[in-house]
């Protein structure tokens, strides 16, 4: 087994795909996430919804933590996941709920 920390898939992938990591570091965060047309809070909600809809569970914990730090509340995340159940399916929402519960519980412990 590997000693790679998958709490951040982007960081775990950095060594294998340095050009992808460079693109993220030079474009996604400084240009897209910093665009004033959308608040970081709104971007976080959109990103969490897209990850749930796409079934990208590995990326979800990092973006849930970012959403909380960007001002999204636990209640808002729960409401968004419940809302998504009707559009992306109950299995996706249940999985996202379990991931959110575990991720946010760890945040509360710290």
């Amino acid at each position: 087994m590997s000693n790679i920390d998958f709490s951040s898939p982007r960081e775990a992938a950095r060594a294998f795909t340095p050009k992808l990591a460079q693109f993220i570091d030079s474009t996604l965060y400084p240009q897209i996430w910093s665009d004033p047309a959308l608040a970081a809070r709104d971007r976080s909600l959109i990103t969490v919804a897209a990850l749930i809809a796409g079934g990208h569970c590995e990326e979800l914990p990092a973006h849930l933590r970012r959403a909380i730090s960007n001002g999204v509340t636990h209640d808002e995340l729960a409401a968004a996941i419940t809302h998504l159940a009707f559009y992306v399916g109950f299995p996706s929402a249940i999985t996202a709920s379990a991931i959110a519960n575990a991720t946010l519980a760890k945040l509360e412990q710290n």
Side-chain angles (χ1 to χ4, degrees):
M1 274 285 144
S2 167
N3 290 332
I4 296 174
D5 176 14
F6 285 101
S7 62
S8 174
R10 181 173 52 91
E11 289 304 319
R14 186 175 289 279
F16 191 73
T17 53
K19 287 184 181 180
L20 178 60
Q22 181 183 8
F23 183 71
I24 290 168
D25 293 341
S26 67
T27 304
L28 178 61
Y29 292 114
Q31 294 179 32
I32 304 302
W33 272 88
S34 298
D35 183 342
L38 282 174
R41 182 187 180 288
D42 298 333
R43 286 186 194 283
S44 282
L45 273 172
I46 292 166
T47 302
V48 166
L51 292 172
I52 293 168
H56 304 294
C57 298
E58 299 84 6
E59 294 280 339
L60 195 51
H63 283 283
L64 288 166
R65 289 189 296 271
R66 178 177 291 244
I68 292 294
S69 71
N70 283 336
V72 180
T73 68
H74 292 207
D75 288 343
E76 290 169 325
L77 288 170
I81 292 169
T82 300
H83 183 79
L84 284 166
F86 292 91
Y87 293 93
V88 303
F90 280 82
S92 295
I94 301 249
T95 299
S97 294
I99 292 169
N101 186 50
T103 301
L104 300 181
K106 285 181 186 176
L107 280 178
E108 290 173 359
Q109 291 174 353
N110 293 333

